Amino acid sequence: MDSEHLMRQLEEAGYQVTHDAERPKGEIAVINTCGFIGDAKEESINMILEFAQAKEEGDLEKLYVMGCLSERYLKELAIEIPQVDKFYGKFNWKELLQDLGKAYHEELHIERTLTTPKHYAYLKISEGCDRKCSYCAIPIIAGRHLSRPMEEILDEVKYLVARGVKEFQVIAQELTYYGVDIYKKQMLPELVERISEVPGVEWIRLHYAYPAHFPTDLFRVMRERPNVCKYMDIALQHISDSMLEKMRRHVTKAETYQLIEKFREEVPGIHLRTTLMVGHPGETEEDFEELKEFVRNARFDRMGAFAYSEEEGTYAASHYEDSIPQEAKQVRLDELMAIQQGISAELSAAKMGRQMKVVIDRLEGDYYIGRTEFDSPEVDPEVLIKSEDKALNIGDFYQVEIVNSDDFDLFGRII
């Protein structure tokens, strides 16, 4: 979202701005980087190098880099990639405007130029994290948890709705802590309720919750409000008590199972997305077997997993030895995802014959591609509808009958 705010400011300053240009060419390029895990860092570095080459070949005049990777490795990057005119951290990108001789317009602080299709947007409600999980660099990069004032968030929602946004992916590095710093209590349920009251908000979907001290009033809000999707993205990471302790998660196996049960009991039909980690230092074969059993038992609707990679400055990097070989981590990852693939296929097949509300995201080949309330953009399954049946409007909602499924996606027809 920093990119979208910056784009709006650059447009106000008179620039013509494009996002994700395939062939970098123009006066100025700005790369916003990620730096939380190894793969993201590698992708960011490759992107910078590609643009640096374009600059050397004369396709670009200026190259600037901002974001998390830049925040973390500012000095090193400046030495390693001198073609970049300037590196900015995660929070000082407003200086970029100043360096271009342009003013930052404070009155436009909630305005954004969307990089998503115009019917949905990401809505960040806080920055940073106070949790100190062993493996995670977020507190190092993004700092302490800082909630945005509720009124400012609501103003942004109203601004976006007025521009055609119908669906909001509410995100934070740690959703459940929202409000504790400024209101002295967990305010996520109240915030979601207030967003749901804004006319024009069709769907609200929640991403990146933490299992310890979960604000249980959220169950009521999800149950009562038809525009709050019955969907929760909650990263659980592991299930073995010894691993949860090593990871410094402040939650137990028993509490995790209880929370999942509570979700399904309190919010009938809820779809749970989680992320799990394999190969954290100290993970034994027994721990991994326990994790596999957990995936079989919990039957998550959506699940991602990744292998541990050591991050400088974290508790794990200084207290544990990264002794599990990369090949062993990959084998565990593949095994875990194979179990989930079977579960996903079964859960998708169980939707056949159901009628579901679907939003249309795009037209691709012979199909309109849409999503149900249980599917977040980019990461979750999609619904494919033959385009020859009927002309549909991108961004509109339709009632769809599910007629077929594969391991991940659904196939439907308009009712």
Side-chain angles (χ1 to χ4, degrees), residues 21 39 44 53 78 119-120 149 161-162 172 204 221-222 225-226 241 259 273 276 282 311 332 356 361:
D39 287 352
S44 293
Q53 189 180 337
H119 58 279
Y120 72 80
V161 166
I204 302 164
V221 177
M222 295 180 98
R225 301 282 166 149
D241 278 325
L259 182 61
R273 160 172 275 284
L276 301 173
E311 292 293 326
R332 289 181 185 181
M356 306 179 88
D361 281 341

Side-chain angles (χ1 to χ4, degrees), residues 60-304:
L60 289 173
E61 287 177 36
K62 296 279 186 186
L63 176 58
Y64 299 107
V65 175
M66 58 187 265
C68 295
L69 187 78
S70 190
E71 173 79 28
R72 200 168 181 198
Y73 303 108
L74 206 65
K75 292 189 176 72
E76 297 92 324
L77 287 167
I79 294 164
E80 292 291 325
I81 314 177
Q83 297 95 325
V84 174
D85 291 280
K86 190 167 177 181
F87 288 90
Y88 301 86
K90 182 167 171 54
F91 302 105
N92 69 335
W93 55 263
K94 292 174 190 175
E95 284 178 26
L96 194 157
L97 290 156
Q98 197 177 311
D99 292 340
L100 292 171
K102 307 294 182 183
Y104 175 79
H105 291 266
E106 187 59 51
E107 73 279 10
L108 304 179
H109 74 286
I110 63 166
E111 296 195 12
R112 292 154 55 179
T113 299
L114 289 182
T115 56
T116 54
K118 64 180 184 182
H119 58 279
Y120 72 80
Y122 291 89
L123 182 70
K124 186 182 280 188
I125 62 170
S126 65
E127 189 68 75
C129 185
D130 286 355
R131 312 286 186 181
K132 295 286 191 291
C133 301
S134 63
Y135 49 84
C136 185
I138 287 173
I140 299 166
I141 301 169
R144 297 292 305 269
H145 181 99
L146 190 63
S147 302
R148 292 177 63 195
M150 199 178 289
E151 296 307 325
E152 182 185 290
I153 295 170
L154 291 166
D155 284 347
E156 188 170 339
V157 169
K158 289 168 191 167
Y159 163 81
L160 290 166
V161 166
R163 277 148 189 81
V165 175
K166 303 171 183 178
E167 175 187 358
F168 290 85
Q169 324 299 333
V170 177
I171 62 168
Q173 277 107 13
E174 212 288 56
L175 273 184
T176 53
Y177 212 74
Y178 174 76
V180 171
D181 52 329
I182 51 178
Y183 303 113
K184 309 306 172 203
K185 62 174 185 171
Q186 289 173 302
M187 293 289 278
L188 184 65
E190 186 176 326
L191 174 67
V192 173
E193 202 156 30
R194 290 188 65 186
I195 295 171
S196 77
E197 288 165 355
V198 175
V201 174
E202 287 262 1
W203 276 351
I204 302 164
R205 198 176 288 103
L206 304 175
H207 282 277
Y208 321 126
Y210 190 90
H213 311 295
F214 191 86
T216 52
D217 193 39
L218 194 58
F219 296 142
R220 176 191 61 77
V221 177
M222 295 180 98
R223 196 172 57 237
E224 291 177 358
R225 301 282 166 149
N227 58 352
V228 179
C229 297
K230 290 181 168 58
Y231 177 105
M232 175 55 71
D233 187 343
I234 183 163
L236 297 173
Q237 307 299 1
H238 219 284
I239 195 60
S240 131
D241 278 325
S242 70
M243 287 314 302
L244 291 169
E245 193 174 330
K246 285 188 175 78
M247 290 177 166
R248 306 173 91 202
R249 293 288 288 167
H250 306 292
V251 70
T252 65
K253 175 180 182 172
E255 287 165 346
T256 303
Y257 269 108
Q258 281 162 13
L259 182 61
I260 292 169
E261 195 178 325
K262 193 85 174 149
F263 262 117
R264 288 172 171 163
E265 198 178 282
E266 295 271 349
V267 191
I270 192 164
H271 281 46
L272 295 176
R273 160 172 275 284
T274 197
T275 308
L276 301 173
M277 182 190 288
V278 299
H280 182 283
E283 185 186 51
T284 63
E285 282 298 337
E286 290 74 21
D287 291 323
F288 180 58
E289 286 301 321
E290 218 172 311
L291 186 61
K292 288 197 295 186
E293 189 60 24
F294 175 53
V295 171
R296 290 189 195 102
N297 291 338
R299 292 178 67 80
F300 292 105
D301 302 275
R302 317 278 180 247
M303 190 196 92

Side-chain angles (χ1 to χ4, degrees), residues 310-322:
E310 188 172 278
E311 292 293 326
E312 310 94 305
T314 59
Y315 183 90
S318 57
H319 288 76
Y320 306 135
E321 187 191 342
D322 185 10

